[in-house]
Amino acid sequence: MTEEFTMQNRRKFVKNILIGTAGITTLSSFDILGIARKEKHIKLTILHTNDMHSRIDAFAPNHKKHANQGGISRIASLVEKIRNEEDNVILLDAGDIFQGTPYFNLFGGEVELKLMSQMKYDASTMGNHDFDNGIEGFNNVLHNANFPFLCSNYDFSETILNGKTKSYHIIEKQGIKIGIFGIGIELDGLVDSRLYGKTIYNDPIESANKYAQLLKEKHACNLVICLSHLGYEYEHKTLSDKILVKETKNIDLIIGGHTHTFLDKAVTFYNKVGKPTLVNQAGWAALSLGRVDFYFNREKERIDDLNTSFRPSKNYAKF
Amino acid sequence: MRHKTTMNYYLKHILFFCLAILLISCKEQYKLTNSKSGNNEINNELSTNNFLETIILPYRIELDLKMNEVINTSLIDMEVGSPEGLLGNFVCDLIHIKAKEISDKPVDFCLLNNGGLRTPLPKGEITRGKIFELMPFENEIVIVEISGKNMLDLIEYIKIKSVIMNSRKAGVPVSGLRMIINDDKVSDVKIANFAFDANKNYRVVTSDYLANGGDHMDFFLNPISIENTGMKLRDAILAHIINLNHEEIELNATLDGRIYYAE
């Protein structure tokens, strides 16, 4: 405090501090007592899709493989049911929303984004097919989405998408902070260069590490999710989610896409520092809704051996 | 002055108190302890969502109207086949014509794959939707210039694919290329009506999928040059069929022995 500080200012300052303290004290005591909205155990339900490929309606009855299966409209019913059962639901998509049915050819993605907004998607990332009508085509329908597109390694600053996607997004549910970012696939060779224009592709591993650390450390997120359109795995050395896990840290869950991989449930892999990271993917064409439930405990101190508080069964990944 | 000291005293205590409270609350945190996962299949036991259906409905009506639009009539049933098929000949011929229109340079022949022609064209009315079924992919027409050496691999590829039996993917649809397969030998290879010359380069129109080595067409990799037309195969097929309709020409195709087994 300096000498210029007048008495009057000081009174005001003290008053402010008292009000502030009262506020903090009230909140903190609620925290300590565990009353108010803060619970001892919190369950967070992550629902996710990928590669829906404009599958608004189910496959036709004469389809060889998926007759009468799938469809965004049906997914919406299931999401609604789960929202009624669970307190904390987050709904995410890992890209390739567009292309695959005439809905996209005729309406350019407008229907898909309108439906996803109605379903209260929290975030999505972009897949290679989301560039199919060019950056301009994507930009033209983007206003139909009321959720953010997270693109952490596509740099759109030289394009009309500048400022229209986000590098990361933080959601809070009952005091739990969930940090989400999105990693896209290399466009060169996969998407016509005329379609992605001046988009700059940044290294996915570097970008993933950068944003995961930012979310976990600077923003103190309790959970970090990566929406990835890299693909689950490949025979060759192409970068996949499995490789991404090994090369990164601070990511708890990778929600993947691109390879149209059907998994019964999320698979646990171990990251750069030996910590578990879940990787999940939900097939394609709205034929599957991915689900991962996370359980949080309110704890006074960091407990490293968690087996004492929860007894994990075989299906449970330990964190 | 005395007053000021008292205030300082209070302030110190207040700040200390705040700090203590903050420290205590920081110690308490949510920690991820467990997870459980199980993905849900989306099958016909799930009903569609009523509210979403109201959003979809006007689009579906417009879509059905467009897709059900009859754009021409086919005089015959067209299916893929090996060593040649009516559907393959029909599509390759029209893509070859289209490529010659688009490109400034000559286009020697067309090569596609039967796997990419997803449904037969039935005799009778052809709807726009039927063409979307035939070609649901967004593949684009590209013109690839390959060496005579790679052409030898291409010819060998056609031969191997043409002698496979009982597979929907047997045979390679072409236009502007002719050859005779005799047992294990290929003879009389003609391209654009000229005898094949292994010392020459050839310009082939195909899909970007195949040009990138799809269907193991490795002879397209490392080409001499590649021309992207930016036109989708489906758009070219639709435009051709609609054009014929304007000229009051119905769809037809013939088998002309372009790939021929000599017994």
Side-chain angles (χ1 to χ4, degrees):
Chain A
M1 267 185 284
T2 57
E3 284 304 313
E4 303 97 270
F5 219 75
T6 62
M7 215 56 225
Q8 208 187 346
N9 276 344
R10 191 167 290 178
R11 274 209 189 97
K12 204 171 163 188
F13 178 60
V14 170
K15 194 180 152 203
N16 283 341
I17 280 194
L18 283 171
I19 293 165
T21 312
I24 291 167
T25 315
T26 318
L27 272 178
S28 303
S29 46
F30 276 159
D31 287 356
I32 294 159
L33 295 171
I35 52 172
R37 66 199 173 92
K38 297 219 169 180
E39 305 285 337
K40 176 80 180 157
H41 305 291
I42 289 183
K43 182 182 179 185
L44 181 71
T45 302
I46 311 290
L47 301 179
H48 58 90
T49 52
N50 55 276
D51 300 271
M52 291 202 288
H53 284 296
S54 308
R55 188 59 52 183
I56 310 284
D57 304 325
F59 279 92
N62 62 358
H63 193 273
K64 273 185 191 157
K65 218 172 159 188
H66 304 299
N68 299 313
Q69 309 286 301
I72 296 176
S73 180
R74 283 213 187 109
I75 286 200
S77 299
L78 183 58
V79 168
E80 200 172 273
K81 181 176 167 274
I82 296 168
R83 283 193 197 277
N84 289 332
E85 293 162 356
E86 306 291 345
D87 292 330
N88 305 302
V89 175
I90 291 180
L91 180 58
L92 302 166
D93 185 88
D96 273 9
I97 296 165
F98 295 171
Q99 196 66 267
T101 72
Y103 278 104
F104 177 69
N105 304 103
L106 293 188
F107 311 113
E110 182 181 318
V111 195
E112 294 85 329
L113 296 181
K114 270 189 182 172
L115 298 182
M116 287 172 77
S117 298
Q118 185 57 40
M119 288 163 78
K120 300 191 181 72
Y121 268 83
D122 291 283
S124 179
T125 190
M126 282 176 81
N128 48 302
H129 281 291
D130 299 317
F131 290 87
D132 277 4
N133 279 353
I135 286 186
E136 206 145 299
F138 182 81
N139 185 54
N140 287 344
V141 292
L142 187 58
H143 67 274
N144 294 294
N146 64 5
F147 52 90
F149 274 87
L150 310 179
C151 300
S152 313
N153 66 326
Y154 291 140
D155 177 354
F156 292 122
S157 52
E158 296 295 313
T159 75
I160 47 164
L161 276 184
N162 183 28
K164 292 180 181 173
T165 64
K166 287 176 75 177
S167 298
Y168 64 89
H169 183 54
I170 298 169
I171 298 169
E172 226 176 303
K173 295 273 181 192
Q174 281 191 274
I176 308 264
K177 278 174 94 175
I178 304 107
I180 310 164
F181 65 98
I183 294 294
I185 193 165
E186 171 98 77
L187 298 170
D188 184 32
L190 188 63
V191 177
D192 194 314
S193 59
R194 288 168 294 189
L195 298 176
Y196 62 82
K198 287 184 174 172
T199 304
I200 297 163
Y201 187 70
N202 289 324
D203 186 82
I205 293 169
E206 264 175 45
S207 306
N209 271 320
K210 178 181 154 188
Y211 288 103
Q213 185 181 14
L214 181 85
L215 290 165
K216 203 108 200 193
E217 291 174 8
K218 192 180 167 219
H219 293 286
C221 290
N222 303 87
L223 188 78
V224 172
I225 300 174
C226 170
L227 301 177
S228 154
H229 203 76
L230 297 173
Y232 183 69
E233 64 179 339
Y234 300 98
E235 280 172 20
H236 35 99
K237 284 180 181 169
T238 309
L239 180 60
S240 64
D241 293 339
K242 275 172 105 168
I243 297 172
L244 186 69
V245 172
K246 282 185 198 152
E247 299 292 329
T248 55
K249 52 183 184 175
N250 294 317
I251 301 171
D252 298 299
L253 169 65
I254 295 177
I255 293 173
H258 191 60
T259 42
H260 297 189
T261 309
F262 284 96
L263 297 173
D264 292 334
K265 57 174 190 260
V267 184
T268 308
F269 296 102
Y270 293 88
N271 72 10
K272 208 176 178 180
V273 291
K275 286 197 173 176
T277 299
L278 290 175
V279 178
N280 205 7
Q281 198 176 136
W284 73 292
L287 285 161
S288 175
L289 177 68
R291 176 171 181 168
V292 185
D293 293 306
F294 287 103
Y295 298 85
F296 293 86
N297 254 10
R298 195 163 163 68
E299 282 159 13
K300 273 189 179 165
E301 276 167 280
R302 282 184 71 88
I303 299 168
D304 286 314
D305 182 14
L306 297 155
N307 292 350
T308 49
S309 55
F310 262 77
R311 193 174 298 146
S313 80
K314 266 185 182 172
N315 289 356
Y316 286 59
K318 281 183 273 179
F319 282 84
Chain B
M1 277 316 280
R2 195 176 158 258
H3 192 77
K4 201 174 176 181
T5 322
T6 321
M7 284 308 291
N8 266 337
Y9 178 77
Y10 278 134
L11 267 175
K12 264 185 199 162
H13 277 79
I14 288 162
L15 283 170
F16 182 75
F17 183 59
C18 288
L19 204 68
I21 290 293
L22 277 172
L23 278 175
I24 291 165
S25 49
C26 280
K27 248 185 158 181
E28 283 253 325
Q29 61 176 5
Y30 282 112
K31 190 147 169 56
L32 179 55
T33 54
N34 257 308
S35 73
K36 193 186 175 187
S37 173
N39 301 335
N40 295 273
E41 194 184 301
I42 306 300
N43 55 34
N44 52 9
E45 283 164 27
L46 278 161
S47 59
T48 52
N49 183 280
N50 287 340
F51 193 78
L52 253 61
E53 289 295 311
T54 62
I55 301 175
I56 299 166
L57 193 64
Y59 292 102
R60 188 183 288 137
I61 290 168
E62 189 181 333
L63 185 142
D64 285 347
L65 214 67
K66 282 231 169 84
M67 288 300 144
N68 296 338
E69 185 194 339
V70 175
I71 55 171
N72 207 328
T73 304
S74 178
L75 295 168
I76 49 164
D77 281 315
M78 294 188 215
E79 278 196 57
V80 295
S82 175
E84 61 173 327
L86 290 169
L87 185 59
N89 288 359
F90 174 76
V91 175
C92 283
D93 286 349
L94 80 87
I95 296 297
H96 193 194
I97 293 167
K98 197 74 187 172
K100 286 194 264 193
E101 276 171 28
I102 297 171
S103 184
D104 299 333
K105 295 182 201 162
V107 182
D108 297 309
F109 68 101
C110 171
L111 184 147
L112 293 171
N113 65 328
N114 279 336
L117 304 174
R118 308 295 287 185
T119 194
L121 287 186
K123 183 181 173 179
E125 290 182 338
I126 300 294
T127 60
R128 185 186 305 272
K130 185 49 82 180
I131 304 306
F132 272 81
E133 277 180 52
L134 170 69
M135 184 59 66
F137 309 116
E138 303 303 318
N139 295 128
E140 288 184 358
I141 299 170
V142 295
I143 301 158
V144 191
E145 185 178 0
I146 62 171
S147 66
K149 189 180 159 289
N150 280 6
M151 276 297 296
L152 291 170
D153 292 340
L154 181 147
I155 291 162
E156 180 68 12
Y157 181 95
I158 295 176
K159 187 198 84 185
I160 291 168
K161 278 273 204 172
S162 300
V163 295
I164 301 173
M165 293 295 164
N166 305 321
S167 165
R168 203 195 155 275
K169 289 189 178 181
V172 182
V174 294
S175 175
L177 181 149
R178 299 183 72 87
M179 67 164 77
I180 296 169
I181 302 169
N182 194 342
D183 284 336
D184 202 30
K185 281 180 194 146
V186 174
S187 59
D188 292 297
V189 181
K190 280 186 176 167
I191 292 161
N193 293 323
F194 293 101
F196 165 66
D197 180 354
N199 297 314
K200 244 191 92 191
N201 297 336
Y202 287 90
R203 279 169 50 86
V204 195
V205 57
T206 187
S207 75
D208 52 358
Y209 167 73
L210 298 174
N212 286 319
D215 257 12
H216 305 290
M217 294 196 182
D218 296 344
F219 43 81
F220 279 136
L221 301 174
N222 310 311
I224 292 156
S225 70
I226 188 156
E227 182 182 339
N228 293 312
T229 65
M231 177 173 250
K232 288 175 183 173
L233 283 161
R234 184 180 51 239
D235 290 342
I237 299 169
L238 280 169
H240 179 79
I241 292 174
I242 292 167
N243 224 10
L244 289 179
N245 193 44
H246 289 160
E247 294 168 21
E248 295 182 0
I249 301 169
E250 293 177 317
L251 309 185
N252 203 354
T254 51
L255 297 178
D256 55 13
R258 50 188 76 180
I259 310 286
Y260 184 71
Y261 289 136
E263 298 290 338

